[in-house]
Amino acid sequence: MAIRLGSTVINCTDLDTMTRFWCAALGLEAASEDDAFRLLRGPYVNLSLQRSSAPVATRDQMHLDLYADDLEREVERLLGLGARFVRHVEDDPVDDWVVLADPEGNLFCVCVKPAEEVHDPGARAATSGTGPAA
């Protein structure tokens, strides 16, 4: 395949706060210190932050799903880093996730998905619902 996803970009007004939050949340390192755009790199994912002249007014156009072995522990860790709790969705016994907001209000989900399921996506596909939607 000649095309691949290089990075997900989040528009934000405070690059420093958002860089600290997402680097700590996902174990990333800032690959640049540009005043308008930051590339955050990690061993498994790139995430980019782009300065917006005004706070993002339209939400829910796109969001991140973060996979966790231990949902409660990861949610508590992210809240300690500055995330805000939005809601816990547990109405489907095979899909349990928490919707959080980052320091600028961008929604993201923390989903129960053990590492072995990530390496074998078909492991849960037969019993999975439609998946999380912030």
Side-chain angles (χ1 to χ4, degrees), residues 7-10 12 14-20 22-23 28-42 46-51:
S7 184
T8 299
V9 181
I10 298 174
C12 58
D14 186 340
L15 282 175
D16 294 330
T17 296
M18 295 290 278
T19 296
R20 282 191 301 274
W22 285 111
C23 282
L28 304 174
E29 292 186 19
S32 68
E33 290 297 323
D34 189 278
D35 288 337
F37 187 88
R38 301 262 170 91
L39 173 61
L40 312 179
R41 290 185 183 241
N46 291 330
L47 181 68
S48 298
L49 305 175
Q50 179 173 285
R51 182 178 301 283

Side-chain angles (χ1 to χ4, degrees), residues 52-110:
S52 174
S53 60
V56 179
T58 304
R59 301 287 181 198
D60 299 330
Q61 294 177 356
M62 183 172 51
H63 70 274
L64 302 176
D65 283 350
L66 308 181
Y67 295 166
D69 291 328
D70 185 333
L71 181 69
E72 186 175 323
R73 183 181 64 180
E74 286 302 322
V75 167
E76 288 303 315
R77 185 180 73 83
L78 293 164
L79 291 172
L81 293 173
R84 179 178 49 82
F85 178 84
V86 176
R87 67 182 171 278
H88 186 172
V89 180
E90 52 187 332
D91 56 351
D92 183 337
V94 297
D95 279 332
D96 186 15
W97 70 90
V98 174
V99 180
L100 299 176
D102 71 14
E104 289 201 359
N106 299 292
L107 300 180
F108 64 97
C109 297
V110 181

